[in-house]
Amino acid sequence: MSTITTSIRAAVAIAAAAPATPAAARPAERMRRTARRWRYLSNAGAALLSALLLVWTLTPIYNIIMVALESEGDVAVTHIWPPEPSVESFWVVLTEGHWYLEAFWHQFGNSVFLAAMVTLFVLVIGTLTTFSIGRMRIRNGWIITNAALLTYVIPASFLAIPFYRIMQNYGLSNNPWSVIAAMVTFATPYAIFIFQQYGKSIPLELDESARIDGASPLQVYFRIYLPLMAPSLVAVGTYALLLAWNEYLYQFLLLSSKNSMTVSVALAQFMNSDEAPWNYMMATAIIYAIPPIVIYYAFRRHMAAGLTAGGVKG
């Protein structure tokens, strides 16, 4: 009897070790082929969608460059590339060689001044607010931060006319400081939110140690808080600068004279003529876009660190 049992066990073991029959292997192989086919199709679809998005994104930039290289201001062209490309448009812009561009460098300076002041005030107001609320433990400070974020409930475009009336009443119409005040108002709540989140990663023990050593609140602010907040300062500062640099609505409403307007508003003046010099307009746009592109790519690593609200280790 034991011999029969041993033979049965050996037969079962041999059957289990034997390879699967072709009938049992077909469904698994069919499933693998189906999964592989779907993977290829999904990769092909993703590649096609990426190519369409890339073309959709680069086509306007390509048109801007192509029109800027035209010898004449004709935007309705049928060729893919100018038959005789020329950089004369850029030279005309740089030398203010057209009557639309007679104040280009002055207006460019206005843009730089406006963006720099907006960035400075946003950083100062945002850091002082979060330092006083988060580090000095002001009572009910959370109300200030939440109230600041609530300002984004109302779209900025809805406040354009009230801002215009207020600036007129205060005698700030046609003054760059009116635009600076508006941009600081819109950018500061976001700065407070980012600074508050990033400041939580800075240990409070550093402040307490500095106070034990006799440091005043201003010394703690300048020597401990600001240096450790550097990544978030770069991130928020870049955001505020780009916001002010690309703003059009408030600059158009509040700045009217050629000596006070910025380049973004001056570009719209090209449309007042029956024969707009499109090549000069596109060349001006390209030159005007160079500073923010350089700033963005110079600080993009610091921006990523500043927006993650991390990176500070006690």
Side-chain angles (χ1 to χ4, degrees):
M1 186 68 180
S2 60
T3 305
I4 297 174
T5 303
T6 303
S7 301
I8 293 174
R9 290 178 179 176
V12 171
I14 294 173
T21 60
R26 285 180 192 141
E29 181 65 23
R30 191 180 301 111
M31 292 178 62
R32 284 195 293 268
R33 290 179 180 177
T34 303
R36 192 181 304 114
R37 189 180 302 112
W38 275 109
R39 186 170 62 252
Y40 290 154
L41 290 176
S42 61
N43 292 339
L48 179 60
L49 181 61
S50 300
L52 291 177
L53 292 176
L54 185 64
V55 172
W56 179 270
T57 304
L58 295 180
T59 298
I61 301 175
Y62 163 76
N63 286 330
I64 291 175
I65 296 174
M66 186 185 69
V67 175
L69 295 177
E70 288 282 349
S71 58
E72 297 180 356
D74 187 10
V75 71
V77 294
T78 57
H79 42 262
I80 299 179
W81 188 254
E84 296 180 0
S86 173
V87 295
E88 179 185 359
S89 301
F90 297 93
W91 180 251
V92 170
V93 175
L94 295 176
T95 58
E96 300 178 342
H98 192 272
W99 67 278
Y100 275 126
L101 300 165
E102 57 187 5
F104 170 76
W105 286 114
H106 182 79
Q107 295 162 354
F108 191 89
N110 291 340
S111 298
V112 173
F113 172 76
L114 192 147
M117 290 297 101
V118 170
T119 304
L120 176 63
F121 280 110
V122 168
L123 294 181
V124 171
I125 297 174
T127 53
L128 286 175
T129 302
T130 53
F131 178 78
S132 60
I133 294 175
R135 320 299 291 191
M136 299 183 67
R137 308 293 182 85
I138 291 181
R139 181 179 299 178
N140 297 326
W142 61 272
I143 298 178
I144 299 176
T145 56
N146 291 341
L149 289 176
L150 281 176
T151 58
Y152 286 134
V153 175
I154 304 175
S157 58
F158 289 2
L159 300 174
I161 302 304
F163 257 102
Y164 179 76
R165 294 291 302 275
I166 292 173
M167 295 307 167
Q168 274 193 330
N169 294 335
Y170 282 96
L172 291 175
S173 60
N174 199 26
N175 191 319
W177 287 104
S178 60
V179 181
I180 293 172
M183 293 297 98
V184 170
T185 302
F186 298 138
T188 301
Y190 174 76
I192 293 175
F193 174 75
I194 295 298
F195 290 151
Q196 186 181 27
Q197 298 302 316
Y198 193 89
K200 292 179 180 179
S201 62
I202 302 177
L204 289 172
E205 291 78 8
L206 297 176
D207 298 10
E208 296 172 356
S209 300
R211 291 193 180 96
I212 292 175
D213 293 337
S216 64
L218 282 179
Q219 289 175 327
V220 175
Y221 172 76
F222 283 108
R223 297 186 179 182
I224 296 178
Y225 187 71
L226 287 184
L228 294 177
M229 292 284 290
S232 62
L233 293 177
V234 173
V236 174
T238 305
Y239 161 76
L241 186 145
L242 295 178
L243 178 68
W245 191 267
N246 297 321
E247 170 60 28
Y248 175 77
L249 176 60
Y250 281 84
Q251 294 180 15
F252 175 76
L253 288 176
L254 300 174
L255 304 176
S256 56
S257 66
K258 283 189 175 182
N259 291 329
S260 63
M261 69 176 54
T262 59
V263 176
S264 59
V265 179
L267 280 173
Q269 303 299 317
F270 282 87
M271 306 299 296
N272 293 336
S273 176
D274 295 335
E275 297 180 1
W278 290 97
N279 51 344
Y280 299 156
M281 183 178 179
M282 296 298 103
T284 305
I286 292 174
I287 295 174
Y288 185 65
I290 291 176
I293 292 175
V294 173
I295 292 173
Y296 173 78
Y297 280 100
F299 295 107
R300 69 182 187 277
R301 294 181 180 177
H302 299 283
M303 289 179 62
L307 293 175
T308 55
V312 179
K313 297 182 180 179

